[in-house]
C-alpha cells in the first residue's frame, strides 16, 4: 500500500485554519518588503564603495602604491615623456623670449699721427699734404697699439719701398722662411728700422695717419663686421691743416663706401672730390667750393685683398699717393726756403730732421 501524506494547512495562532488568499497576500507583502530592503542596502553599499574609491584615487598613497607596482620600463617611459614635455616648454619659452646676445665691447682707434708728435723733428710744422686713413685698427694693431701691425699687411712694406726703409726682415710664422713679398722689396735688411722711426719718416715727408672710425663694436678684424660706429672728425682735422690736398683710403672699396656713408654732407659741399679712379664711390655732381681735397680709394693693403699682387699694390700707391705726395713735400720745402731767403735750404732738404 502507498502511504498518503496529508497536505499541511497553515494554522493561525488560535488554532484556526489560515485563509490561503490572505496567506498569499501576506507572503507577497513580505517578499516585497524584503526586496526593497535589499535594494536599499545594495544602494548604500554602492555609495560607500564609490566614496571609498574616490578617496583612494585622490590620496598620494594611491599613486605611490600603484607606481611602485608598475613595471620598471613603464615608469621610465613615463619619466622620459614628462622630461620631454618639460624640455618642449623650455624651448617654447626661449623662442618667445628675446635671445640674449653677448655684448661686444667697443674699441677705439688711435690719435692722428702728424709731424708735431715727434720731438726729434726740428720743424714740427711740416705742412701735411696727404692724409692716409685706415678704417679701424685690427685686433693685432689694438693689441700692440700700432697702425697696420699685421706682418702680412702691405702698408709699411709699400711705405718703406717708396720712402727708403724696410719694415722688418719679413719672416713667416716659423721664423725661418721669408714672406713671398720680400723677394720684391727694394731695400735689404740693413734698412730695417723700428716702428716709431717708420712713423717719423712718414710724417717728416708731410704724410699723416688716422682712421675713419673712432669707435665701434666689431667681432674679429673684418670691416664688414663693424657695428655702432662713431666717426673720427676728419673734417675738423682738414680745417686745422688747410694744406691737406688729398685723402687716401687705404682699405679699398669697403673704406670708400664707409667714407661716403659717414661724410655724405661734406662730400655734398664740393670740398671733397673723387679722384678719377674713385668716381663710382662719390658721384660726379658736387657743389662748387674754393677748396678741393681729392679723395683716393687706394688699392687695399689688407692681406684679405688678394686679387692684386704686392707689386701691383705698390705701383698704385707710388703713382697716386707717394709720388704726388713727395712732389708736394719738395715744393713746400723750396717755398719755405725762398721765404727764408734761401738761408736754410740745406736744413729743409731733410724735412727738418736733425
Amino acid at each position: 500500500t502507498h502511504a498518503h501524506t496529508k497536505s499541511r494547512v497553515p494554522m493561525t495562532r488560535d488554532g484556526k485554519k489560515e485563509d490561503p488568499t490572505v496567506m498569499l497576500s501576506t507572503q507577497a507583502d513580505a517578499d516585497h518588503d524584503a526586496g526593497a530592503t535589499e535594494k536599499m542596502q545594495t544602494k548604500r553599499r554602492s555609495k560607500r564603495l564609490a566614496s571609498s574609491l574616490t578617496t583612494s584615487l585622490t590620496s598620494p598613497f594611491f599613486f605611490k602604491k600603484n607606481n611602485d607596482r608598475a613595471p620598471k620600463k613603464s615608469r621610465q617611459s613615463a619619466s622620459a615623456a614628462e622630461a620631454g614635455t618639460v624640455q618642449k616648454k623650455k624651448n617654447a619659452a626661449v623662442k618667445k623670449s628675446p635671445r640674449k646676445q653677448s655684448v661686444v665691447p667697443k674699441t677705439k682707434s688711435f690719435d692722428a699721427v702728424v709731424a708735431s708728435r715727434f720731438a726729434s723733428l726740428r720743424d714740427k710744422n711740416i705742412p701735411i699734404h696727404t692724409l692716409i686713413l685706415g678704417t679701424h685698427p685690427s685686433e693685432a694693431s689694438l693689441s700692440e697699439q700700432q697702425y697696420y701691425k699685421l706682418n702680412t699687411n702691405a702698408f709699411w712694406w709699400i711705405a718703406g719701398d717708396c720712402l727708403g726703409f724696410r719694415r722688418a726682415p719679413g719672416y713667416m710664422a716659423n721664423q725661418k722662411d721669408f714672406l713671398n713679398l720680400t723677394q720684391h722689396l727694394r731695400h735689404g735688411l740693413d734698412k730695417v728700422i723700428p716702428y716709431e722711426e717708420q712713423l717719423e719718416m712718414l710724417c717728416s715727408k708731410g704724410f699723416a695717419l688716422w682712421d675713419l672710425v673712432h669707435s665701434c663694436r666689431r667681432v674679429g678684424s673684418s670691416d664688414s663686421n663693424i657695428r655702432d660706429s662713431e666717426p673720427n672728425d676728419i673734417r675738423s682735422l682738414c680745417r686745422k691743416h688747410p694744406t691737406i690736398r688729398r685723402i687716401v683710403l687705404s682699405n679699398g672699396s669697403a673704406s670708400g663706401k664707409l667714407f661716403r656713408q659717414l661724410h655724405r654732407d661734406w662730400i655734398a659741399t664740393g670740398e671733397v672730390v673723387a679722384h678719377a679712379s674713385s668716381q663710382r664711390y662719390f658721384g660726379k655732381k658736387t657743389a662748387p667750393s674754393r677748396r678741393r681735397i681729392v679723395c683716393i680709394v687706394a688699392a687695399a693693403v689688407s692681406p684679405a685683398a688678394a686679387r692684386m699682387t704686392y707689386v701691383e699694390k705698390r705701383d698704385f700707391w707710388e703713382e697716386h699717393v707717394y709720388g704726388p705726395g713727395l712732389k708736394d713735400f719738395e715744393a713746400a720745402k723750396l717755398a719755405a726756403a725762398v721765404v727764408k731767403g734761401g738761408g736754410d735750404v740745406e736744413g729743409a732738404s731733410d724735412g727738418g730732421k736733425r
Side-chain angles (χ1 to χ4, degrees):
T1 60
H2 297 281
H4 297 279
T5 303
K6 295 182 179 180
S7 60
R8 297 179 64 182
V9 178
M11 302 293 288
T12 62
R13 291 181 178 180
D14 54 4
K16 294 181 179 181
K17 294 182 180 180
E18 187 172 0
D19 186 354
T21 303
V22 174
M23 181 187 69
L24 292 175
S25 176
T26 303
Q27 184 66 34
D29 291 341
D31 292 342
H32 180 270
D33 292 342
T37 302
E38 185 177 356
K39 286 182 179 180
M40 185 175 295
Q41 290 176 349
T42 302
K43 189 174 182 180
R44 288 176 180 174
R45 283 197 299 271
S46 298
K47 285 185 177 180
R48 286 197 298 270
L49 180 62
S51 177
S52 175
L53 182 61
T54 302
T55 303
S56 299
L57 289 175
T58 56
S59 172
F61 297 103
F62 173 82
F63 293 102
K64 183 176 185 305
K65 183 177 180 180
N66 283 276
N67 282 338
D68 291 341
R69 291 177 180 176
K72 185 175 181 181
K73 188 174 181 180
S74 299
R75 294 200 302 271
Q76 290 177 348
S77 300
S79 299
E82 184 178 357
T85 303
V86 172
Q87 186 61 41
K88 286 181 180 180
K89 290 182 179 180
K90 287 183 179 180
N91 293 340
V94 170
K95 289 181 179 179
K96 290 181 180 179
S97 61
R99 181 178 296 177
K100 293 183 179 179
Q101 298 180 351
S102 57
V103 178
V104 179
K106 274 196 169 185
T107 56
K108 294 184 179 181
S109 67
F110 314 134
D111 294 334
V113 181
V114 298
S116 59
R117 164 179 170 170
F118 303 96
S120 60
L121 291 177
R122 182 173 58 188
D123 184 5
K124 294 181 175 55
N125 296 315
I126 296 173
I128 300 173
H129 49 73
T130 303
L131 174 61
I132 301 174
L133 297 174
T135 306
H136 192 73
S138 66
E139 290 180 322
S141 293
L142 290 168
S143 175
E144 299 295 329
Q145 292 293 292
Q146 293 183 10
Y147 280 97
Y148 306 102
K149 171 60 181 177
L150 280 177
N151 202 31
T152 52
N153 190 295
F155 180 82
W156 287 114
W157 300 110
I158 293 173
D161 275 354
C162 296
L163 300 178
F165 64 86
R166 179 165 173 155
R167 172 186 184 172
Y171 290 118
M172 298 180 70
N174 60 17
Q175 297 298 314
K176 295 180 180 180
D177 302 319
F178 286 94
L179 297 170
N180 289 333
L181 62 82
T182 57
Q183 62 184 312
H184 304 293
L185 298 179
R186 293 172 177 170
H187 306 289
L189 296 177
D190 59 320
K191 292 290 186 177
V192 174
I193 58 176
Y195 171 74
E196 281 296 322
E197 292 184 22
Q198 295 174 40
L199 279 178
E200 184 177 341
M201 177 73 77
L202 184 73
C203 294
S204 71
K205 302 298 183 183
F207 297 92
L209 285 182
W210 211 12
D211 286 310
L212 280 171
V213 176
H214 169 67
S215 65
C216 67
R217 303 184 195 278
R218 180 172 65 178
V219 177
S221 298
S222 174
D223 291 347
S224 62
N225 291 336
I226 290 178
R227 300 289 184 274
D228 299 334
S229 62
E230 297 178 15
N232 275 320
D233 196 351
I234 309 297
R235 194 172 183 179
S236 292
L237 182 67
C238 291
R239 287 173 178 170
K240 183 178 179 180
H241 299 276
T243 57
I244 293 177
R245 301 184 61 183
R246 67 187 60 82
I247 291 175
V248 181
L249 306 176
S250 67
N251 280 329
S253 60
S255 55
K257 294 174 183 177
L258 185 59
F259 183 88
R260 181 181 62 186
Q261 176 186 337
L262 297 176
H263 300 287
R264 194 180 301 275
D265 294 341
W266 189 20
I267 295 171
T269 65
E271 186 176 348
V272 180
V273 295
H275 184 266
S277 64
S278 310
Q279 291 287 345
R280 63 193 179 103
Y281 299 104
F282 299 91
K284 297 181 179 180
K285 295 182 179 181
T286 56
S289 175
R290 293 182 180 180
R291 183 186 180 187
R292 289 293 178 98
I293 302 174
V294 177
C295 190
I296 303 170
V297 179
V301 295
S302 169
R307 291 185 178 181
M308 297 179 70
T309 65
Y310 170 76
V311 173
E312 289 172 337
K313 292 180 180 182
R314 181 182 64 193
D315 290 347
F316 181 96
W317 279 76
E318 189 165 37
E319 179 182 355
H320 300 293
V321 182
Y322 290 108
L326 290 174
K327 288 181 180 179
D328 291 340
F329 170 71
E330 293 295 335
K333 180 178 64 177
L334 291 174
V338 169
V339 170
K340 292 181 180 180
D344 196 25
V345 175
E346 185 177 355
S349 64
D350 64 352
K353 186 175 180 181
R354 294 181 183 276

